[in-house]
Amino acid sequence: MKTLAASRQVIEIANELGDFVRLAESVEREFAVLGAEALPPDWRTLPVNGRLRFVPTGRAVGGADVSARLEASVPAVCQRCLEPFNWPLRSTVELRVAIGDIDAVAGDDSDRELWELPGDGLRPVDMVDELLVMALPLSPRHEDTARCAAMAQTRTELDTTRPFARLRMQMDDAD
């Protein structure tokens, strides 16, 4: 990573979702509830595009400023209606990291995240995989509520002229 930062390296990303092991595992775990047949057959070939830019920090410790812009369409399960859909992942991240031996990095009083690595062994694809997983929502939902089956059902059941009618009905049923 120090070498990438020293040369102010820019890495263009044009991969497929299946190239990112942790992201693919997250998608498979998400669909375990619905079953493997709910996953689109070609989901691993969905494109992941973006750019990583490395800049040195100027510190002796071996820090790097990394900016990442990533875009993908990730299969997800809507937490409202439990239907599969493609969630548009768009992430722009600015990382400030210090790389190296933990003893050397620990004395650095900057606001950098400390990453201990054996040598200079971080692969950029692993960094992108981590950033993609961190960008996934905790509770994916349809962005457009008109496409969400649960939201459509809720809208048709509501009595908008008497907003507390349903509450009254539930209270009467409880008695």
Side-chain angles (χ1 to χ4, degrees), residues 82-150:
L82 297 178
E83 293 293 324
F85 73 106
N86 281 341
W87 186 74
L89 184 148
R90 290 178 192 85
S91 177
T92 302
V93 180
E94 300 292 330
L95 293 175
R96 301 187 70 182
V97 296
I99 307 293
D101 177 39
I102 196 69
D103 295 328
V105 175
D108 185 18
D109 61 351
S110 71
D111 60 348
R112 300 203 181 308
E113 208 175 306
L114 305 178
W115 289 7
E116 182 180 17
L117 297 174
D120 202 18
L122 179 69
R123 298 178 331 148
V125 70
D126 294 335
M127 177 183 279
V128 172
D129 196 6
E130 180 73 20
L131 293 174
L132 289 167
V133 169
M134 295 304 292
L136 290 175
L138 292 176
S139 178
R141 296 176 295 210
H142 288 99
E143 285 184 352
D144 181 7
T145 56
R147 291 186 172 189
C148 185

Side-chain angles (χ1 to χ4, degrees), residues 5-169:
S7 63
R8 298 181 179 272
Q9 185 70 44
V10 174
I11 298 174
E12 295 288 333
I13 297 143
N15 291 55
E16 294 178 344
L17 196 142
D19 295 335
F20 302 99
V21 176
R22 292 193 57 221
L23 179 61
E25 287 172 355
S26 294
V27 169
E28 287 174 336
R29 269 194 307 270
E30 180 81 15
F31 276 83
V33 174
L34 300 181
E37 67 279 354
L39 261 168
D42 59 347
W43 70 274
R44 289 183 177 275
T45 62
L46 291 171
V48 176
N49 299 304
R51 173 185 294 206
L52 287 176
R53 182 182 309 269
F54 296 84
V55 180
T57 62
R59 293 178 163 257
V61 173
D65 288 338
V66 183
S67 62
R69 182 187 45 77
L70 304 167
E71 291 185 10
S73 182
V74 180
V77 177
C78 176
Q79 297 302 301
R80 287 185 185 129
C81 66
L82 297 178
E83 293 293 324
F85 73 106
N86 281 341
W87 186 74
L89 184 148
R90 290 178 192 85
S91 177
T92 302
V93 180
E94 300 292 330
L95 293 175
R96 301 187 70 182
V97 296
I99 307 293
D101 177 39
I102 196 69
D103 295 328
V105 175
D108 185 18
D109 61 351
S110 71
D111 60 348
R112 300 203 181 308
E113 208 175 306
L114 305 178
W115 289 7
E116 182 180 17
L117 297 174
D120 202 18
L122 179 69
R123 298 178 331 148
V125 70
D126 294 335
M127 177 183 279
V128 172
D129 196 6
E130 180 73 20
L131 293 174
L132 289 167
V133 169
M134 295 304 292
L136 290 175
L138 292 176
S139 178
R141 296 176 295 210
H142 288 99
E143 285 184 352
D144 181 7
T145 56
R147 291 186 172 189
C148 185
M151 294 301 288
Q153 180 182 10
T154 302
R155 278 193 301 276
T156 59
E157 291 177 359
L158 288 178
D159 182 358
T160 56
T161 58
R162 299 178 341 163
F164 296 104
R166 178 180 230 150
L167 179 60
R168 170 52 76 193
M169 210 167 55

